[in-house]
Amino acid sequence: MAMHLWMVTLTLAAFLAMDGEVQVAAGRIVFLRMPICEHMAESPKCPKTPKLICGTDGVTYENECHLCVTRIKTKEDIQIIKDGRC
C-alpha cells in the first residue's frame, strides 16, 4: 500500500512539473516564456529593433513589445514559445 501511494505521488509530481510545457510538431517539448509587459502603458511605442519571437497564438512578432501590445489589446495570455519565426 505504501509503495502504491509513493508511485501515485511520483506520477502526480511528474504531471505537475510538465504544466508549463507545450507539445509541438515532431514530439518536441517547448518551454514557454512569459513576456515582460507589466511596465507597459495601454499604447506603448515599441522599438523598431527586430528581434523576432514566436507567440503561443502562432504569430511571429517583431519583438517582445509587439507581443505585449497584442496581449493588452486582446486580453489573451499569449506567451513566447521561442525566439525567431514560428
Side-chain angles (χ1 to χ4, degrees):
M1 179 68 168
M3 180 60 84
H4 178 72
L5 289 175
W6 180 249
M7 292 301 291
V8 169
T9 303
L10 287 176
T11 304
L12 181 59
F15 282 119
L16 292 174
M18 294 187 322
D19 186 38
E21 300 173 356
V22 171
Q23 200 75 19
V24 294
R28 200 175 90 216
I29 295 178
V30 176
F31 291 92
L32 302 179
R33 188 172 84 227
M34 192 65 127
I36 301 170
C37 302
E38 290 78 24
H39 66 285
M40 298 183 72
E42 280 296 314
S43 55
K45 291 187 178 187
C46 293
K48 300 285 185 193
T49 310
K51 186 174 184 240
L52 301 179
I53 56 171
C54 178
T56 53
D57 58 352
V59 175
T60 300
Y61 293 92
E62 188 174 340
N63 54 42
E64 192 168 324
C65 179
H66 289 279
L67 185 143
C68 288
V69 168
T70 301
R71 281 176 57 103
I72 291 168
K73 287 181 180 177
T74 64
K75 304 211 184 314
E76 291 183 32
D77 183 23
I78 305 168
Q79 297 183 23
I80 300 168
I81 294 177
K82 66 176 188 163
D83 292 328
R85 294 191 179 279
C86 291

